Coordinates of all heavy atoms in Angstrom, one line a residue:
G460 N 4.5 83.2 -36.5 CA 3.3 82.9 -37.1 C 2.7 84.0 -37.9 O 3.2 85.1 -37.9
R461 N 1.5 83.8 -38.5 CA 0.8 84.8 -39.2 C 0.2 85.9 -38.3 O -0.1 85.6 -37.1 CB -0.2 84.2 -40.1 CG 0.3 83.3 -41.1 CD -0.7 82.9 -42.1 NE -2.0 82.3 -41.6 CZ -3.1 82.4 -42.2 NH1 -3.3 82.9 -43.4 NH2 -4.1 81.8 -41.6
T462 N 0.1 87.1 -38.8 CA -0.6 88.1 -38.1 C -2.1 88.1 -38.4 O -2.5 87.5 -39.3 CB 0.0 89.5 -38.5 OG1 -0.3 89.7 -39.9 CG2 1.4 89.6 -38.2
V463 N -2.8 88.9 -37.6 CA -4.2 89.1 -37.9 C -4.5 89.7 -39.3 O -5.3 89.2 -40.1 CB -4.9 90.0 -36.8 CG1 -6.3 90.4 -37.2 CG2 -4.9 89.2 -35.4
A464 N -3.6 90.6 -39.6 CA -3.7 91.2 -40.9 C -3.5 90.1 -42.0 O -4.2 90.1 -43.1 CB -2.6 92.3 -41.2
D465 N -2.5 89.2 -41.8 CA -2.3 88.1 -42.8 C -3.6 87.3 -42.9 O -4.0 86.8 -44.0 CB -1.2 87.2 -42.3 CG 0.1 87.9 -42.3 OD1 0.3 88.9 -43.1 OD2 1.0 87.5 -41.5
V466 N -4.2 86.9 -41.8 CA -5.4 86.1 -41.7 C -6.5 86.8 -42.5 O -7.2 86.1 -43.4 CB -5.9 85.8 -40.3 CG1 -7.2 85.1 -40.3 CG2 -4.8 85.1 -39.5
V467 N -6.7 88.0 -42.3 CA -7.7 88.7 -43.1 C -7.4 88.9 -44.5 O -8.3 88.6 -45.4 CB -7.9 90.2 -42.4 CG1 -8.9 91.0 -43.3 CG2 -8.4 90.0 -41.0
A468 N -6.1 89.2 -44.8 CA -5.8 89.4 -46.2 C -5.8 88.1 -47.0 O -6.3 88.1 -48.2 CB -4.4 90.1 -46.3
D469 N -5.3 87.1 -46.4 CA -5.2 85.8 -47.3 C -6.5 85.1 -47.3 O -6.8 84.5 -48.4 CB -4.1 84.8 -46.6 CG -2.8 85.5 -46.5 OD1 -2.6 86.6 -47.1 OD2 -1.9 85.0 -45.8
G470 N -7.2 85.1 -46.3 CA -8.5 84.4 -46.3 C -8.2 82.9 -46.3 O -7.0 82.4 -46.3
P471 N -9.2 82.1 -46.3 CA -9.0 80.6 -46.3 C -8.6 80.2 -47.7 O -8.8 80.9 -48.6 CB -10.4 80.0 -45.9 CG -11.3 81.1 -46.3 CD -10.7 82.4 -46.1
A472 N -8.0 79.0 -47.8 CA -7.5 78.6 -49.2 C -8.6 78.8 -50.2 O -8.4 79.3 -51.3 CB -7.1 77.2 -49.0
A473 N -9.8 78.4 -49.9 CA -10.8 78.4 -50.9 C -11.5 79.7 -51.2 O -12.0 80.0 -52.3 CB -12.0 77.4 -50.5
G474 N -11.6 80.6 -50.2 CA -12.5 81.7 -50.2 C -12.0 83.0 -50.8 O -12.7 83.9 -51.1
G475 N -10.7 83.2 -50.8 CA -10.1 84.5 -51.2 C -10.0 85.5 -50.0 O -10.3 85.1 -48.9
A476 N -9.6 86.7 -50.3 CA -9.3 87.6 -49.3 C -10.5 88.0 -48.4 O -11.6 88.0 -48.9 CB -8.7 88.8 -49.9
G477 N -10.3 88.4 -47.2 CA -11.3 88.8 -46.3 C -11.4 90.4 -46.2 O -10.9 91.1 -47.1
D478 N -12.1 90.8 -45.2 CA -12.4 92.2 -45.2 C -12.1 92.9 -43.9 O -12.0 92.2 -42.9 CB -13.9 92.4 -45.4 CG -14.5 91.8 -46.6 OD1 -13.7 91.6 -47.5 OD2 -15.7 91.5 -46.7
L479 N -11.9 94.2 -43.9 CA -11.9 94.9 -42.6 C -13.1 95.9 -42.6 O -13.4 96.5 -43.6 CB -10.6 95.7 -42.5 CG -9.4 95.1 -41.8 CD1 -8.3 96.1 -41.6 CD2 -9.7 94.4 -40.6
V480 N -13.7 95.9 -41.5 CA -14.9 96.7 -41.4 C -14.9 97.5 -40.1 O -14.3 97.2 -39.2 CB -16.1 95.6 -41.2 CG1 -17.5 96.3 -41.0 CG2 -16.3 94.7 -42.4
A481 N -15.5 98.7 -40.2 CA -15.6 99.5 -39.0 C -16.9 100.2 -38.8 O -17.5 100.6 -39.9 CB -14.5 100.6 -39.0
V482 N -17.4 100.3 -37.6 CA -18.7 101.0 -37.4 C -18.3 102.6 -37.4 O -17.4 103.0 -36.8 CB -19.3 100.7 -36.1 CG1 -20.6 101.3 -35.9 CG2 -19.4 99.1 -36.0
S483 N -19.1 103.3 -38.2 CA -18.6 104.6 -38.5 C -19.0 105.6 -37.5 O -19.8 105.4 -36.6 CB -19.2 105.1 -39.8 OG -20.2 106.1 -39.6
N484 N -18.3 106.8 -37.7 CA -18.5 107.8 -36.7 C -19.0 109.1 -37.2 O -18.8 110.2 -36.6 CB -17.1 108.1 -36.0 CG -16.1 108.5 -37.0 OD1 -16.2 108.4 -38.2 ND2 -15.0 109.0 -36.4
V485 N -19.6 109.2 -38.4 CA -20.0 110.4 -38.9 C -21.5 110.7 -38.8 O -22.3 109.8 -38.6 CB -19.6 110.6 -40.5 CG1 -18.1 110.4 -40.7 CG2 -20.4 109.7 -41.3
G486 N -21.8 111.9 -38.9 CA -23.2 112.4 -38.9 C -23.4 113.7 -39.6 O -22.5 114.2 -40.3
D487 N -24.5 114.4 -39.3 CA -24.7 115.6 -40.1 C -24.1 116.8 -39.4 O -24.3 118.0 -39.7 CB -26.2 115.8 -40.3 CG -27.0 116.1 -39.1 OD1 -26.4 116.1 -38.0 OD2 -28.2 116.2 -39.2
D488 N -23.2 116.6 -38.4 CA -22.4 117.5 -37.7 C -21.6 118.4 -38.7 O -21.1 117.7 -39.7 CB -21.5 116.8 -36.7 CG -20.5 117.8 -36.1 OD1 -20.9 118.7 -35.4 OD2 -19.3 117.6 -36.4
P489 N -21.4 119.7 -38.5 CA -20.6 120.4 -39.5 C -19.2 119.9 -39.7 O -18.6 120.1 -40.7 CB -20.6 121.8 -38.9 CG -21.7 121.9 -37.8 CD -22.0 120.5 -37.5
F490 N -18.6 119.3 -38.6 CA -17.3 118.7 -38.8 C -17.3 117.2 -39.0 O -16.3 116.6 -38.9 CB -16.4 119.0 -37.5 CG -16.3 120.5 -37.2 CD1 -17.1 121.1 -36.3 CD2 -15.4 121.2 -37.9 CE1 -17.0 122.5 -36.0 CE2 -15.2 122.6 -37.6 CZ -16.0 123.2 -36.7
W491 N -18.4 116.7 -39.4 CA -18.6 115.3 -39.8 C -18.6 114.4 -38.5 O -19.4 113.5 -38.4 CB -17.5 114.7 -40.7 CG -17.5 115.2 -42.1 CD1 -16.7 116.1 -42.7 CD2 -18.4 114.7 -43.1 NE1 -17.0 116.2 -44.0 CE2 -18.0 115.4 -44.3 CE3 -19.5 113.9 -43.1 CZ2 -18.7 115.2 -45.5 CZ3 -20.1 113.6 -44.4 CH2 -19.7 114.3 -45.5
T492 N -17.7 114.7 -37.5 CA -17.5 113.7 -36.5 C -17.7 114.3 -35.0 O -17.2 113.7 -34.1 CB -16.1 113.1 -36.6 OG1 -15.1 114.2 -36.7 CG2 -15.9 112.2 -37.8
G493 N -18.4 115.4 -34.9 CA -18.5 115.9 -33.6 C -17.2 116.5 -33.1 O -17.0 117.8 -33.2
H494 N -16.3 115.7 -32.7 CA -15.0 116.2 -32.3 C -14.1 116.2 -33.7 O -13.9 115.2 -34.3 CB -14.3 115.2 -31.4 CG -13.1 115.7 -30.6 ND1 -12.1 116.4 -31.3 CD2 -12.9 115.6 -29.4 CE1 -11.3 116.8 -30.3 NE2 -11.7 116.3 -29.1
P495 N -13.7 117.4 -34.1 CA -12.9 117.4 -35.3 C -11.8 116.5 -35.4 O -11.5 115.9 -36.5 CB -12.5 118.9 -35.4 CG -13.5 119.6 -34.6 CD -13.9 118.7 -33.5
L496 N -11.1 116.2 -34.3 CA -10.0 115.4 -34.3 C -10.4 113.9 -34.5 O -9.5 113.0 -34.8 CB -9.1 115.5 -33.1 CG -8.6 117.0 -32.8 CD1 -7.5 117.0 -31.6 CD2 -7.9 117.5 -34.1
A497 N -11.6 113.6 -34.2 CA -12.1 112.2 -34.5 C -12.2 111.8 -36.0 O -12.3 110.7 -36.4 CB -13.5 112.0 -33.9
Q498 N -12.0 112.9 -36.8 CA -11.9 112.6 -38.3 C -10.7 111.7 -38.5 O -10.7 110.9 -39.5 CB -11.8 113.9 -39.0 CG -12.9 114.7 -39.2 CD -12.5 116.1 -39.8 OE1 -11.5 116.2 -40.4 NE2 -13.4 117.1 -39.6

Side-chain angles (χ1 to χ4, degrees):
R461 296 193 304 156
T462 63
V463 170
D465 295 333
V466 174
V467 173
D469 302 347
D478 304 341
L479 270 189
V480 176
V482 183
S483 112
N484 61 345
V485 303
D487 66 3
D488 172 66
F490 297 99
W491 288 105
T492 49
H494 200 312
L496 302 186
Q498 288 172 18

